[in-house]
């Protein structure tokens, strides 16, 4: 059977390692701009979260344009767009939860509805939400819109699980990370030992890796009095960025494949 090449990488363990690192970088990098640079954490109504959202939105749109314009899968373009989506997700979630006063529960509920609506529209428009079909500009637009909502939702879920204010559960960053890690372990068990839809498992894992990265990022850079390690946000971001670069260089990835009418491209 002929196959066409996807514009996203094959979903392997390498994919998930880089994805978790990218989501953690999105948290520390987003906080470095909105909190360290713009001081929005101490002055939530000073416009810092809104300015940060605008900055990251511009970077994200540029990265997605480059990604969609590429003729075939390019790991550098793809992961740049993913990192950009995680930083915009961090800033947007904080804008909704803190500056607009919606709270973690309200923000997470709205964003979950956005993710489900995006997936539903994508499915009813094109007949599939399988990421291995992401090979045309139209499908890529749906993919990146859904990615953005899922990254923002993940940030809100991470804050909701870890923090005590704004309606959060207050489990702390360590226990929050363990909870999301346990959720991913359950999904992995379903993948290996059941016939649960692979498309469902992918999107569930994609969403859950975001709050895992968010809680790990917060654990790294939040003050000691708040349960964090108080690592410099720019330093943590630089280390994570270097780790991702090394992974892309040392762990080659290839495009995902799906059945199609066009000849397979190597």
């Amino acid at each position: 059977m002929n196959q066409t090449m996807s514009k996203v990488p094959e979903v392997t363990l390498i994919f998930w390692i880089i994805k978790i690192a990218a989501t953690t970088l999105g948290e520390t990098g987003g906080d470095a701009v909105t909190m360290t640079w713009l001081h929005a954490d101490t002055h939530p109504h000073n416009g810092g979260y809104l300015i940060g959202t605008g900055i990251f939105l511009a970077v994200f749109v540029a990265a997605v344009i480059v990604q969609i314009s590429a003729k075939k899968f390019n790991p550098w373009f793809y992961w740049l767009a993913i990192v950009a989506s995680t930083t915009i997700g961090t800033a947007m979630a904080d804008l909704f939860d803190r500056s607009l006063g919606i709270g973690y529960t309200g923000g997470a509920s709205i964003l979950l509805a956005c993710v489900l609506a995006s997936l539903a529209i994508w499915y009813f428009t094109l007949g599939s939400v399988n990421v291995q079909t992401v090979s045309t500009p139209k499908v890529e637009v749906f993919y990146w819109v859904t990615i953005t909502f899922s990254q923002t939702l993940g940030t809100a879920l991470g804050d909701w699980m870890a923090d005590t204010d704004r309606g959060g559960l207050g489990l702390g960053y360590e226990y929050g990370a363990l909870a999301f890690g346990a959720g991913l372990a359950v999904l992995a068990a379903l993948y290996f030992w059941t016939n649960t839809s692979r498309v469902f498992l992918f999107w569930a894992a994609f969403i859950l890796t975001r709050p895992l990265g968010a809680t790990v990022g917060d654990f790294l850079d939040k003050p000691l009095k708040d349960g964090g390690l108080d690592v410099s946000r720019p330093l943590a971001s630089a280390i994570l960025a270097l780790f991702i670069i090394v992974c892309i260089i040392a762990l080659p990835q290839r495009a995902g494949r799906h059945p199609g009418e066009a000849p397979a491209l190597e």
Side-chain angles (χ1 to χ4, degrees):
M1 180 181 293
N2 290 331
Q3 293 181 320
T4 55
M5 305 298 287
S6 173
K7 292 282 293 295
V8 303
E10 192 174 33
V11 180
T12 63
L13 179 60
I14 296 171
F15 173 90
W16 293 115
I17 290 172
I18 301 177
K19 168 62 166 61
I20 293 172
T23 59
T24 308
L25 172 58
E27 188 70 19
T28 58
D31 288 348
V33 172
T34 59
M35 297 182 182
T36 302
W37 178 31
L38 298 173
H39 307 291
D41 54 337
T42 53
H43 304 285
H45 301 292
N46 69 351
Y49 290 126
L50 180 60
I51 294 171
T53 298
I55 293 171
F56 292 130
L57 179 60
V59 174
F60 172 67
V61 170
V64 169
I65 290 174
V66 171
Q67 162 70 14
I68 293 177
S69 299
K71 299 301 182 183
K72 60 182 181 179
F73 168 67
N74 183 306
W76 298 103
F77 295 164
Y78 178 80
W79 288 112
L80 175 62
I82 287 291
V83 171
S85 74
T86 65
T87 51
I88 181 64
T90 297
M92 285 178 61
D94 288 340
L95 175 66
F96 292 158
D97 298 340
R98 300 175 184 183
S99 294
L100 300 182
I102 297 175
Y104 296 138
T105 303
S109 299
I110 292 171
L111 291 164
L112 175 60
C114 289
V115 172
L116 295 177
S118 178
L119 287 170
I121 295 170
W122 180 359
Y123 179 81
F124 287 114
T125 301
L126 299 176
S128 174
V129 294
N130 189 331
V131 295
Q132 302 303 346
T133 66
V134 180
S135 57
T136 65
K138 186 174 183 179
V139 184
E140 282 196 89
V141 169
F142 279 110
Y143 177 77
W144 289 107
V145 168
T146 305
I147 290 295
T148 303
F149 283 137
S150 71
Q151 304 282 36
T152 310
L153 169 62
T155 300
L157 285 175
D159 289 340
W160 174 72
M161 182 73 76
D163 289 352
T164 55
D165 56 354
R166 304 179 187 88
L169 293 182
L171 293 182
Y173 303 118
E174 307 97 315
Y175 291 112
L178 288 174
F180 290 119
L184 288 170
V186 170
L187 294 178
L190 292 174
Y191 177 84
F192 286 110
W193 294 309
T194 75
N195 293 320
T196 304
S197 167
R198 276 19 186 180
V199 174
F200 166 78
L201 291 176
F202 171 84
W203 284 110
F206 199 96
I207 291 171
L208 277 184
T209 51
R210 179 62 180 109
L212 173 62
T215 50
V216 171
D218 282 337
F219 178 64
L220 290 174
D221 64 31
K222 287 296 188 286
L224 295 173
K225 64 182 180 63
D226 294 331
L229 296 179
D230 202 21
V231 177
S232 163
R233 293 182 182 112
L235 176 60
S237 300
I239 293 173
L240 288 164
L242 179 61
F243 175 78
I244 292 171
I245 291 171
V246 170
C247 284
I248 294 174
I249 295 173
L251 304 173
Q253 301 168 79
R254 67 180 185 180
R257 302 164 184 255
H258 69 278
E261 297 179 356
L265 300 176
E266 298 299 337

